[in-house]
Amino acid sequence: MSESDVTRDGIRGARPDRDALVGKGMGNGERRGRKGGKGRKGDQSMVPRAEFTSYYGRPVLNPPTWSARDVAGYLFLGGLAGAGSVLAAGAELTGRPVMARALKVSSVAALAGSTAALIHDLGRPERFVNMLRVFKPTSPMSVGSWLLMVYGPMAGAAAASDVARRLPRAGRAATVGAGLLGPAVASYTAVLAANTAIPAWHDGYREMPFVFIGSAATAASGMALLVSPVAENAPARGVAVLGTALENAAVKAMERRVGVVAETYREGRAGRLMRAAEALSAAGALGGALLGRRSRTAAALSGAALLAASVCTRFGVFHAGIRSAEDPKYTVLPQRERLDAQRQRPDAQRDRPQDG
Amino acid sequence: MTDTSRRSSLIGRNLLAGAEPDVAGDAGHDGHPPRVGFFTDTSVCIGCKACEVACKEWNAIPEDGLDFTGMSFDNTQGLDASSWRHVAFIEQSKPLGRAEAAVDHSDVDVLALAARGSGTPVAEAAITPTSPASSPSADGQTGLRWLMASDVCKHCTHAACLDVCPTGSLFRTEFGTVVVQDDICNGCGYCVAACPYGVIDVRPQDGGAHKCTLCYDRLGAGQEPACAKACPTDSIQFGPLDELRERAAARVEELHRVGVADARLYGHDPEDGVGGDGAFFLLLDEPEVYGLPPDPVVTTRDLPSMWRHAGAAALTLLGGVAAVFAAHGGMSGRRTGRWGR
């Protein structure tokens, strides 16, 4: 019999017992103290381990219907296109024509690929155009569709003008325009992922844009190192270091933020991909910085490593999200901890932490 | 309230989270009927699945797998595009309130009871879910309790599926419910990832997202939803949300009074993470036991902050790349040969 006293304000006393073993997740959830967790004054060590139960181990959430190739591929290509446009504008304005042209072309190709992936992932691809029925700031997918509608023609015009060597002034204007919109294209996808109920994506919403921006910069600098002559690649080497540092720092910060959900970024397929991304980006950035100015081959290899790192990050984030949706532990445990922390406070106000 | 005063009253209000008393009005419906919903009282659910069947029949939902799961009597497994009601079955070795499963019924004449028909007054019933028992059986047997609960779309006050839908396919009806317009949905699946309850899903056969409509067609004709109509024990109650909340509060008080200390409401509180559910529940254990999230929060509550962080990240990229290029300077002598070699 339960020892607890269930009142309308919550449970007083001991929690009801859990002698019925429902679900395989029962009792194996470890409680991890979150360091410096916002508004969590409750002493975590008072509760030795989290009780966590589920309905026959079934997920609470419906896992996303998105395919890894299409959506993670879209995240990578979108980042490559967006950050590539920024680098292309920089290269053009500082007189690095080979790098500028190559990045403009790669941005258009990446954009075409990412749009194709996005459409292919729809359940009803023939209705893609319905994305443009409305403009909804609450839907990052709607915002992104409109953003691509503006950015796409600009990036296209920039590349076309450069390749065809026509209308240089309009081409430069398009290059600068695409360069200004590029960061938005590269960062909105973080909101796209974070604005879901998927714990690994939503809970890290503060850091996710920096992970994605870092990964986009890594990819674009990799492309630049791959295609630029040694004489022009100095900024690409700098951006590679910047992107790698930003991405890895943001990933670490995000893992600290999400508590127990960080397991999904550290274990399994996502864990392998995230570790590969870390190693590849470090190797690429370091190789580019040390050898990229002397050897064209070393620069190209570094560039390839940086591109691969960005692919690994995107697929790693994607798979961490899927895993966190498929295992009820990552839905139930953080929410249960949140409720318990509220109840432990003397005046159990329902003040959930807003953003900081 | 006039049109203009309502519209101006929206300014400065946060419509992404928190209590929202006039959800249909805020969605632009003037002179709308009261908000309706479900109160699912699981303490009287008998697990007959009539709701599942009635829902499938009325809404012409296709078959979606004939599995044998071994999860008690639950072979439906959960809500998805082709299961809009789902009865959960939980077996626990724990008595329900002061009731005792091991009570001796050998002196009960079941034929006489049957002859009396189904209208047995509660006071005369041999056993009810809340029957007090004198004492535990001699051998200390506590018996088994079987929890059954019919789950459904919560028709949240702040519906993440609706917020994130990029096509406007999902919309708020004049009844305050949330419905998918199938002829607009392009199957992007964003609603699936956004739903904190795991309700909506994409149907593989037609590529579109589907979920409970709270029988929008029946509501329009003045009928109650098919599941509520079919429920033989009134475990599923349909009505104006305000009235249902009062009824639910009275019911949970009654259960506490007769010793069912585990009874609690779920999704009834307009101050909760989704602004209160249009379909809420009386549960006899923690929500997660039934496969429900203990403290769901609409993801768009944090959206303004997400956009701010994304903006900061975008500026970081722009500024960072600009700084790198500035540090390396222009390539002298190349400026004029813009098209390069």
Side-chain angles (χ1 to χ4, degrees):
Chain A
M1 197 60 186
S2 164
E3 303 264 312
S4 74
D5 191 9
V6 180
T7 71
R8 294 180 65 187
D9 302 322
I11 298 173
R12 272 207 295 267
R15 280 163 47 82
D17 58 23
R18 281 285 170 282
D19 37 25
L21 296 178
V22 181
K24 58 190 174 195
M26 183 77 192
N28 62 2
E30 272 175 65
R31 178 173 288 256
R32 286 168 183 237
R34 286 195 223 172
K35 282 166 223 152
K38 181 170 313 183
R40 305 175 115 268
K41 296 254 173 70
D43 190 354
Q44 302 288 327
S45 63
M46 281 168 63
V47 188
R49 77 184 168 83
E51 291 173 42
F52 145 67
T53 190
S54 73
Y55 183 67
Y56 298 99
R58 303 261 319 161
V60 171
L61 305 173
N62 281 337
T65 51
W66 299 332
S67 91
R69 193 191 58 188
D70 286 343
V71 172
Y74 169 74
L75 298 178
F76 164 70
L77 291 172
L80 176 59
S85 285
V86 186
L87 280 177
E92 169 135 342
L93 296 175
T94 58
R96 293 179 169 87
V98 179
M99 186 202 239
R101 183 180 309 152
L103 285 175
K104 285 181 211 172
V105 171
S106 85
S107 279
V108 169
L111 184 71
S114 70
T115 308
L118 200 62
I119 295 175
H120 182 258
D121 196 59
L122 295 178
R124 294 162 172 171
E126 68 279 9
R127 292 192 190 167
F128 170 71
V129 77
N130 281 5
M131 293 281 187
L132 307 176
R133 267 185 89 238
V134 290
F135 176 77
K136 279 172 79 170
T138 59
S139 172
M141 202 179 278
S142 168
V143 173
S145 300
W146 285 104
L147 189 58
L148 293 181
M149 286 301 291
V150 180
Y151 166 79
M154 264 192 215
S161 154
D162 202 336
V163 171
R165 308 188 180 206
R166 278 171 199 272
L167 304 172
R169 206 163 291 170
R172 173 160 288 198
T175 304
V176 172
L180 289 174
L181 281 178
V185 172
S187 68
Y188 99 85
T189 47
V191 185
L192 184 78
N195 194 35
T196 59
I198 315 289
W201 297 344
H202 178 89
D203 296 357
Y205 72 82
R206 296 170 186 82
E207 291 81 14
M208 190 74 88
F210 294 93
V211 175
F212 277 28
I213 278 292
S215 180
T218 306
S221 62
M223 181 60 82
L225 282 173
L226 199 59
V227 296
S228 309
V230 172
E232 290 188 11
N233 76 7
R237 286 182 264 127
V239 173
V241 173
L242 185 80
T244 300
L246 189 60
E247 176 188 335
N248 287 306
V251 167
K252 294 280 175 294
M254 184 166 76
E255 288 184 358
R256 273 198 302 279
R257 167 93 61 186
V258 299
V260 67
V261 181
E263 286 172 16
T264 61
Y265 284 104
R266 293 185 182 130
E267 296 169 3
R269 186 195 273 183
R272 287 194 295 279
L273 284 163
M274 296 307 280
R275 282 191 294 278
E278 200 176 344
L280 282 166
S281 60
L286 213 61
L290 297 178
L291 309 168
R293 92 181 64 167
R294 278 174 241 133
S295 156
R296 182 75 186 82
T297 316
L301 282 175
S302 302
L306 290 165
L307 280 165
S310 180
V311 172
C312 288
T313 301
R314 304 312 178 115
F315 277 80
V317 169
F318 183 84
H319 285 297
I322 300 293
R323 168 126 192 269
S324 75
E326 283 174 345
D327 191 336
K329 174 182 180 182
Y330 302 114
T331 311
V332 170
L333 208 47
Q335 294 188 15
R336 180 49 67 193
E337 283 181 346
R338 190 162 66 207
L339 281 179
D340 288 350
Q342 273 169 14
R343 281 180 188 149
Q344 274 171 21
R345 267 178 282 168
D347 299 308
Q349 292 285 322
R350 300 194 71 94
D351 57 333
R352 295 197 170 76
Q354 283 286 340
D355 90 286
Chain B
M1 195 187 282
T2 65
D3 263 23
T4 26
S5 72
R6 174 180 292 142
R7 257 164 224 148
S8 63
S9 75
L10 297 183
I11 296 168
R13 282 178 52 196
N14 180 8
L15 292 175
L16 296 175
E20 189 180 350
D22 185 18
V23 69
D26 290 348
H29 295 287
D30 290 323
H32 58 82
R35 185 179 180 189
V36 296
F38 288 127
F39 165 46
T40 306
D41 179 355
T42 71
S43 69
V44 292
C45 179
I46 56 172
C48 69
K49 303 193 200 179
C51 50
E52 286 191 19
V53 176
C55 177
K56 281 252 185 190
E57 291 285 338
W58 179 264
N59 294 296
I61 302 173
E63 176 261 312
D64 63 336
L66 299 169
D67 296 328
F68 182 71
T69 61
M71 291 156 38
S72 193
F73 270 37
D74 180 7
N75 294 313
T76 309
Q77 303 178 54
L79 295 173
D80 60 33
S82 299
S83 299
W84 298 354
R85 271 277 177 190
H86 161 236
V87 181
F89 292 77
I90 299 120
E91 296 171 16
Q92 297 179 327
S93 51
K94 181 176 176 181
L96 178 63
R98 287 192 291 264
E100 198 202 320
V103 74
D104 183 13
H105 289 115
S106 57
D107 58 338
V108 176
D109 183 351
V110 288
L111 295 175
L113 286 176
R116 274 206 326 218
S118 58
T120 312
V122 173
E124 292 174 36
I127 185 165
T128 73
T130 56
S131 298
S134 48
S135 63
S137 61
D139 57 356
Q141 198 180 342
T142 53
L144 173 104
R145 76 170 181 173
W146 206 5
L147 302 181
M148 287 154 269
S150 180
D151 194 12
V152 69
C153 171
K154 315 300 178 294
H155 295 275
C156 308
T157 301
H158 299 287
C161 59
L162 191 160
D163 284 350
V164 305
C165 176
T167 64
S169 165
L170 276 149
F171 76 109
R172 178 81 59 185
T173 73
E174 66 272 32
F175 299 102
T177 57
V178 179
V179 174
V180 189
Q181 302 173 83
D182 187 49
D183 56 338
I184 288 169
C185 173
N186 66 9
C188 74
Y190 205 176
C191 51
V192 180
C195 175
Y197 295 102
V199 170
I200 197 166
D201 209 347
V202 168
R203 186 179 292 162
Q205 294 94 322
D206 66 11
H210 300 272
K211 73 169 192 70
C212 163
T213 67
L214 217 130
C215 285
Y216 190 32
D217 49 350
R218 292 175 62 95
L219 295 190
Q223 300 270 324
E224 67 178 321
C227 55
K229 184 88 179 166
C231 180
T233 64
D234 260 351
S235 169
I236 301 173
Q237 300 179 29
F238 166 80
L241 198 53
D242 294 339
E243 195 187 312
L244 291 179
R245 283 178 178 152
E246 279 172 32
R247 241 190 276 175
R251 173 67 181 161
V252 82
E253 218 161 281
E254 181 196 346
L255 285 172
H256 286 171
R257 190 157 38 76
V258 300
V260 186
D262 286 346
R264 85 282 312 267
L265 295 179
Y266 174 79
H268 64 296
D269 182 3
E271 300 290 333
D272 73 12
V274 297
D277 292 326
F280 65 101
F281 301 81
L282 186 153
L283 303 179
L284 296 175
D285 205 334
E286 302 285 5
E288 55 265 40
V289 170
Y290 296 85
L292 296 163
D295 186 27
V297 174
V298 60
T299 181
T300 32
R301 183 197 69 183
D302 302 317
L303 188 60
S305 175
M306 289 182 212
W307 283 126
R308 280 197 296 277
H309 281 88
L315 290 177
T316 305
L317 178 67
L318 203 58
V321 171
V324 169
F325 274 95
H328 289 282
M331 304 273 286
S332 52
R334 291 283 200 103
R335 281 290 200 147
T336 44
R338 281 200 53 240
W339 299 122
R341 273 285 99 205

